[in-house]
Amino acid sequence: MSSQTETFVITGMTCANCSARVEKELNSTPGVTTATVNLATEKATVQFAEDLSTEQIIGTVENIGYGAILYDDAHKQQIAAEKKAYVAKMKRDLIVSTILTAPLMISMILMLLGNHSGIVMFFHRPIVQLVLATPVQFWIGARFYKGAYHALKTLAPNMDVLVAMGTSAAYLLSVYNGFFSENYTELYFESSAMIITLILLGKYLEQAAKNKTGNAIKQLMALQAKEATVLINGQQVKLPIEQVKTADLVLVKPGEQIPVDGILVAGQSAIDESMLTGESLPVEKQVSDNVFGGTINTNGSLTVKATKVGEGSVLSQIIRMVEEAQGSKAPIQKIADRISSIFVPVVLGIALVTLLVTGFLVDWQTALIHAVSVLVIACPCALGLATPTAIMVGTGLGAKQGILIKGGQALEGAAHLSSIVLDKTGTITEGKPVVTDTVGGQVELEIFAAMEKQSEHPLAKAIVNFAEEKNFSQDFSVENFSSLPGQGISGTINGETYFAGTVRLLDSLDIQLTQAFNQYQELESMGKTVMFLANQTEVLAMIAVADQVKASSKEAIASLQNRGIKVYMMTGDNRAAAQYIGQQVGLTAEQIFAEVLPEDKANYVGELQKNGDLVGMVGDGINDAPALALADIGVAMGTGSDIAMETADVTIMNGDLKSLSKMVRLSQLTLWKIKQNLFWAFIYNTIGIPFAAFGILNPIIAGGAMAFSSVSVLLNSLSLNRSKI
C-alpha cells in the first residue's frame, strides 16, 4: 500500500516529555509508518497510509490533550495567526503575573532586611497575599493544571505535572498556615506566585529564542517574490506570483528580484546568486542561460521564460529541504529521549523520598518546601531543546553558505567522516571541456570548427566555443555530413572530403601521423582528448580538449586532509591521465581510483566501508547516484544532475569544493554545541536536584533556575551563528 508524508504543527507542548508522548501516540496509531516530533520546531512529520486521513491524525493528537494543524499553504496563515496570538497572550499573562507577584516579593525582601513598616506588614497579611496569589495560581497557572491533567490521564507525566504539584503544595500550605494554624506568618504565597511568573518568563524568552533559531527559514521565505511583471501580447502586466504559469515571459528590470526559475531569452546581466550559492560575486548571464527565483538582477533589463514556478522552483525546494532538516532528529538525540522518558517519574520519586525523610527527621513543613524545590527545579525542557535547537541553527547557517544539509543524521554523520571520495568530473574539475592545445594553420582550424559544429558530441561544443572566442570564419558550409560511430565525423567542404576524429579514425583511413603531430601521446598522458582533422591523404590539424581543474580544488583537498580526512579521487580516465590530474591537486597514486566504470563506483565506496571507514562520496552525475546512496554521507554538487541532488544527504549549491571543508567544520561545530547543551542540561539537574532535596535551594531560586536552564541552552545554540566556518 502506498503512503504519504505530511507535516503538522503541534500546539500545547511544554517539554521533551510532551513531544515524546505525541510521538509515541502517533507511532502506535494504525496506519502510521513513522512519526517524528520536534520540540524546538513544534512540528510532527508523519508518514502514513493513504487510507488514513489527516483529520484522523489530528484527532489522535487532540485526544491526548494537544493540538495539531496541517502545515500546508492553506493553513500557514492560520498557524502564523495562532502563534502570534499565543505569544501575545503569554506576554499579557506575564505582565499581569509580574504586577500581582511584585508586591509579594518586595514585601518579603524588605521584611528579611528588617523593614516592618505599615505598608510592608499590610502586604504580609494572609488575606492580602491570598488575593494577590490566587489569580496567579489558578488563572495564569491554569495552563499548567490543564497540561498536568492530560499528562496524568495518559500516564505520561511531564513538566506541567511538576509545576502544578510544586506550586499547589506551596499555595495550599500557605492557605493552611495563614487561616487554619498558629503558623500564620509562615506563608509561601510569594514562592508559588514567583515560581509561576519565572517559569512563564522563561517560556516567553524561550519562544523568542526559538523564533531566532528559525530565522534562516524566514529569510529564505522573504526572498520569494510576491508578484511578477508578465509580458502579455506585448503589454507589461503585474500579476501575483501565484498566477504566473510556466512558459510565461517575465520582465525583470535592473535591481529587481527574479520571481521565477527560467531561461533567459533576451538581455544580459550580472545576477547576484548569493542567496543560493553563498558566493558574493555576481554571475554573468546571457541568452539561453538558466536563472533562478529569488536572485537579484543587478544591471540590464531581462526577459525570462518561466520554467518552474511556485513549489517547483529551486528556492521553494531549498526552503522545503531546510524545513525538513530542522524538523529531523540527530542520532545523539536518542540519549536525551531515553532520559526524558523516565525523568519525570524519577523526579516524582525523589520528591516523595525527600518529603518522607525530611518529614520524619526534621518537620513536615520543611519537608514539603524541600519537596517543592525538587519538583520545580527538575524539568526536562533543556534536555528536549539541546539537540533540535542546535540542528535548526546549524542547518540554517549552512543554507546561508549554500550548503543544504537534509537532516540531523546527515549533520551529525558529516562530523565523523574519516574518508571522502571525490568524483573527478564536475567535482575536482569544471566538468566543461575546453580547448587547451592546437596544431595547424588558421584556415585548417576554421574547417575543423565548421565540421564539429555539425556534431552533437560534448567535445565538439568545446571546439565550437573556441572558434567563437577566436572569431573564426563562419563561411564554410558542410555538405554530406556523416557520423562515424566510435571514430569521428566526415563531411564535404567546397568539394573536398574532410574527416575529424581520434587516432582510431586515422588508422581506419590508413593515414600516418607526421612529426608535427607526434606530441599527441604526451597530451593524452596528461588527461587530454586529442582529435585530428584530415583529408583523404594527410593530417591537417590537431586539437586537444581537456576538462580543467577547478581553481579551488587543491586548496579544498588540502583543507580536508588537514582535518585528518583521507581524500580519494575516482575517475573513468586511464591511470596516467588520472595521476596527472591527481598530482595537480595534491593526491598520491594510492589515493586515485582510475578506470572505474560507472556501475562500479559504489563498489569502491563499499570497500572503504569494509575497512571501517565512515565514507563521504561527492559527485554530480546520474552515474554517481548509487555511490552517493551507499556512502555514509552523500554530497551532491548543486551544478550537477537533479538525481544526484535527490539521492545525496548534502547539496553544495555553488559546486565549490571549499564548501565541503566548510560542511565538515559546520557539522563538527554543531555536534559540539549539542554535546555542550546536553552536558549542561545533565549537570544542571545532577547538581540542582540534590541541592533542592537538602534545602540549599528555596523554591523561588529553584523555579528561576529551571526557567532559565532552557533559555541558556537556546542561547548557546544561537551562539553558533557567530562561528566562522
Side-chain angles (χ1 to χ4, degrees), residues 73 82 124 135 213 252 278 345 359 377 402 470 475 502 512 559 580 626 638 663 679 682:
D73 289 337
E82 289 196 12
H124 200 66
T213 61
V252 186
I377 199 171
K470 297 295 184 181
D475 295 338
T502 63
Q512 302 298 314
S559 177
Y580 178 79
M663 176 204 76
F679 172 80
F682 288 138

Side-chain angles (χ1 to χ4, degrees), residues 566-694:
K566 294 172 284 187
V567 181
Y568 300 90
M569 182 182 81
M570 184 185 293
T571 177
D573 291 349
N574 64 65
R575 182 155 295 279
Q579 289 186 359
Y580 178 79
I581 297 293
Q583 288 170 2
Q584 292 184 59
V585 294
L587 297 177
T588 64
E590 291 75 22
Q591 294 171 283
I592 297 169
F593 304 141
E595 301 175 9
V596 180
L597 297 174
E599 59 269 25
D600 290 336
K601 288 185 176 183
N603 295 336
Y604 281 84
V605 171
E607 286 300 316
L608 290 174
Q609 290 173 324
K610 287 178 183 177
N611 294 331
D613 282 359
L614 285 172
V615 183
M617 171 69 196
V618 186
D620 73 333
I622 292 174
N623 58 5
D624 296 323
L628 291 171
L630 179 64
D632 296 285
I633 300 294
V635 182
M637 291 301 189
T639 50
S641 72
D642 290 341
I643 292 177
M645 288 187 279
E646 185 67 29
T647 307
D649 303 296
V650 180
T651 299
I652 294 176
M653 295 301 295
N654 59 15
D656 188 341
L657 266 185
K658 285 193 291 187
S659 293
L660 189 62
S661 183
K662 288 183 179 181
M663 176 204 76
V664 174
R665 169 72 173 156
L666 175 63
S667 299
Q668 291 171 343
L669 284 172
T670 305
L671 187 59
W672 177 237
K673 285 295 178 187
I674 291 172
K675 289 178 178 178
Q676 285 179 344
N677 288 344
L678 289 173
F679 172 80
W680 288 114
F682 288 138
I683 286 296
Y684 157 78
N685 284 304
T686 302
I687 295 175
I689 291 174
F691 271 56
F694 287 105

Side-chain angles (χ1 to χ4, degrees), residues 32-33 121 138 180 212 229 237 302 319 324 354 399 492 699:
V32 171
T33 308
M121 297 310 295
F138 298 108
F180 302 102
K212 287 185 179 179
T229 303
V237 181
L302 305 177
I319 292 171
E324 289 172 357
T354 300
T492 304

